[in-house]
Amino acid sequence: MKNFILKLTDKLLNGGSISKDEALNLINLDIEKNSQEISILCEGANKIRKAFCGENFDLCTIMNAKSGKCPENCRYCAQSSHFKTASPVYSLVSKEEALNLAVAIEEEGAHKFSLVTSGRGLQDAGEVDKLTEIYEYLKKETSLHLCASHGLLTDGAALKLKEAGVVTYHHNLETSRDYYSEICTTHTFQDRVDTIISAKKAGLKICSGGIFGLGESREDRINMAFELKNLNVDSVPLNFLTPIAGTPMEDFIPLEPMEIIKTIAIYRFILPNIDIRFAGGRLQLGELEVLGINSGINSALTGNFLTTTGSTIASDIKMAKEAGFEIK
């Protein structure tokens, strides 16, 4: 297996690509923390990242701009109205509240800022207008790269966001096409794909990834990676389930840290030139978080992540610099 990983690394560095069968061979490796195979895999992923993405590292932050009472039944989500959780409930924040947080995170060194709202998506013209007003205000008052995350999207809403100053639209696939109905039945996997297509049509960059540890198979993780590759997304946030009390997944056991590390590295092999982003649940890695960042990661979601707690901007800047990155 050592030679297999080395040959794959050379193949990628010389402009080749990894097949689904090759990726499945990698992810089905049962590897230990100090094994030679994991070291070679992580080193290979890091070489690929350096070759295709360089040494720059960017930090994005999000604001939970409308919380709770979501009609969708995503089984991992604290904000679904189908489940009883401790998640706060409030309507859309004001443009002043959004600006206050945006200015604070910009001063701390973050590069990107996104409003995230609960709900099925942007089908209400009034809410679209309120959001575009906020984004126009943020564009005027900050130098941040503006992102948006508002669920399912129509062509018209996507275009309005673009015109208001939004650069990137975030909409996760969450898992594979085959497994999606196991985590949500109020909308489909294709609905999510169609939203990405609408955002791309409007000229928006795409940030799309998923959550691991939802009960999916290793093959599901690989299938999602190839869906993202085929959609030609710009950034892939990798989240790892933090079970939340009150959701149907509250008793799920989080993935083993080495399974997380392996998954990160393989995503870099599949997506050599895409930003791969540390996102929610990465604190489960503990002391192995540094190994994760040296396994193909080149960006991070930082600060408080919606209904769970993340890392501080300062600590993430320190970690990235110690790993040899330049902060944009």
Side-chain angles (χ1 to χ4, degrees), residues 213-231:
L214 302 174
E216 78 284 350
S217 68
R218 287 170 168 174
E219 185 172 3
D220 287 316
R221 295 173 205 155
I222 296 302
N223 287 341
M224 187 182 79
F226 279 93
E227 290 268 9
L228 293 166
K229 182 176 183 177
N230 291 337
L231 286 166

Side-chain angles (χ1 to χ4, degrees), residues 41 63 66 85 90 92 148 203 206 230 236 242 308:
L41 181 66
M63 179 182 195
K66 186 179 79 169
T85 71
Y90 50 82
L92 186 65
I206 303 299
N230 291 337
V236 176
T242 300
T308 58

